[in-house]
Amino acid sequence: MSSTILMAVSTFNGRNHPRMETGDQFQGIGNDGKDIIIEDCKSQGESIVRYFLKRMPPEDEVNIIMLCSRKTLEKDEKNGTDSNGNIHSAVSYLKERIDESPEKGKHKINYQVIKLYKNQLPTEHRLQEADVIDPSVPLIPASREEECYFPDDELGAIATAAEFIRSQKNQEKRSFRLYIDTHGGLRDVVVALGAVISLLSVGEAIRPKMIMGINMASGRIEDQSAAFNIFSFFSGINDFLHFGNADVLSEYFDSKNEFSYLTGADPAVQNTARQITKHMQKISLGAQMSDSKPFLEGLKELGEEFEAGVSEDGNSILKGTSLGIFEQKIKDEYGDLLKDPNILDLIIWCVNRGLIQQALTFIESMLPYYYQDKEIL
């Protein structure tokens, strides 16, 4: 079996930070629920990787996907030297720290460098580099004038990482395990990466086993899954607002989901959120089956739930929760359908959103009632 760790590499390490120069330590929850300590951390990227190695099955082969800017691949005296006196890059130093860590144990580790930039060097330029980068071999630093040959390509890198993850998932099937380190690298890279992996989790059941970051103030390795899962919520809200589809939202608010506390800590709020999601599911069923009955019933029930969910001060009890952010938007999008749902307004709603097939089906379904009302048949 194998595990995959996805991370963005930072140029930051202990040699330019006093606290980590002599070896820092971080704590995180172990498999038994008790704290485990990762000691002597001197590179920003090593602590969470070592934590993952400690918690994953000891026999696992490990693939570490490193998203790297060119600066992290260039030799730099700030990173020190290896045992042969060769100047490290941030990546080669990180690799050395991981390979020499006690957490490595019997793990066979494969490193894959994914460039966060494009190589547009002229032919035979002094900085020529291979398409596949050896993380142990630092690159020659580019001068400021030469940096123009390496334009950013963050989306390309993330797409490559996503393809690698998809390939590993297809090979390993149910035994595939994905771990995500959110601590290092550029913030926009980490955010974009989270969004892509979130979409993979929705469409292809690729769900990370752990998503961890570091709280530098407390020195703790903390679960970042809640922040990551918010992408699923936004994706689900978008589906419901535009297409009446609540599948993703239903999964997000599933009572078995350990992150459902995002809907609010109060049990009453939790219950309201689950009820709203239940009504959304009925609307979703009507939209997918082009069946006006559950669609209209769900809309009526959703409208009643919103009205019932008003506290004594006149504010919605969902205020301050993830669902409360979009309560007014949902009301605006569905309008009078939440108060007085009827087939004609439903048809107009479908047409306005380009759901022509559903609109035609609803028109067809109402014809018998029209003929009966007009005594045509």
Side-chain angles (χ1 to χ4, degrees), residues 126-277:
R126 75 179 187 93
L127 295 178
Q128 287 300 334
E129 62 186 56
D131 291 334
V132 178
I133 299 292
D134 182 346
S136 301
V137 182
L139 299 178
I140 300 172
S143 67
R144 181 170 297 180
E145 291 74 20
E146 291 169 323
E147 289 178 356
C148 64
Y149 296 124
F150 306 105
D152 292 342
D153 186 26
E154 295 170 359
L155 289 179
I158 291 170
T160 301
E163 284 299 320
F164 181 87
I165 292 168
R166 182 184 288 116
S167 174
Q168 290 296 116
K169 167 67 175 178
N170 290 337
Q171 290 179 31
E172 298 292 332
K173 305 300 181 184
R174 292 187 177 182
S175 63
F176 175 76
R177 288 183 291 271
L178 174 64
Y179 301 78
I180 297 180
D181 176 354
T182 66
H183 188 58
L186 301 173
R187 184 60 54 192
D188 56 341
V189 173
V190 174
V191 171
L193 183 62
V196 171
I197 300 302
S198 176
L199 290 175
L200 287 176
S201 72
V202 172
E204 304 179 47
I206 298 176
R207 295 181 175 84
K209 185 173 181 63
M210 293 185 202
I211 305 172
M212 310 300 289
I214 291 180
N215 183 329
M216 293 299 292
S218 64
R220 291 197 64 83
I221 298 172
E222 298 180 343
D223 191 343
Q224 300 291 309
S225 300
F228 170 87
N229 278 336
I230 200 67
F231 287 108
S232 295
F233 171 72
F234 290 141
S235 176
I237 281 289
N238 182 67
D239 280 355
F240 183 72
L241 290 176
H242 292 90
F243 311 109
N245 189 313
D247 292 348
V248 177
L249 277 177
S250 298
E251 183 175 339
Y252 177 80
F253 285 115
D254 189 334
S255 59
K256 297 179 182 178
N257 189 322
E258 60 183 303
F259 308 115
S260 61
Y261 69 84
L262 284 173
T263 60
D266 191 319
V269 178
Q270 292 278 358
N271 183 62
T272 297
R274 282 194 290 269
Q275 287 299 114
I276 286 174
T277 308

Side-chain angles (χ1 to χ4, degrees), residues 76-119:
D76 188 331
E77 292 181 353
K78 292 180 180 179
N79 298 312
T81 59
D82 62 18
S83 57
N84 297 317
N86 299 312
I87 298 175
H88 270 305
S89 67
V91 170
S92 66
Y93 180 57
L94 172 60
K95 180 179 182 297
E96 179 183 273
R97 294 292 304 166
I98 295 171
D99 287 342
E100 295 179 357
S101 70
E103 290 81 13
K104 179 180 182 296
K106 297 181 180 179
H107 291 296
K108 177 186 176 183
I109 300 180
N110 308 308
Y111 296 88
Q112 178 168 349
V113 170
I114 296 180
K115 303 175 185 177
L116 286 165
Y117 62 92
K118 295 179 181 178
N119 181 356

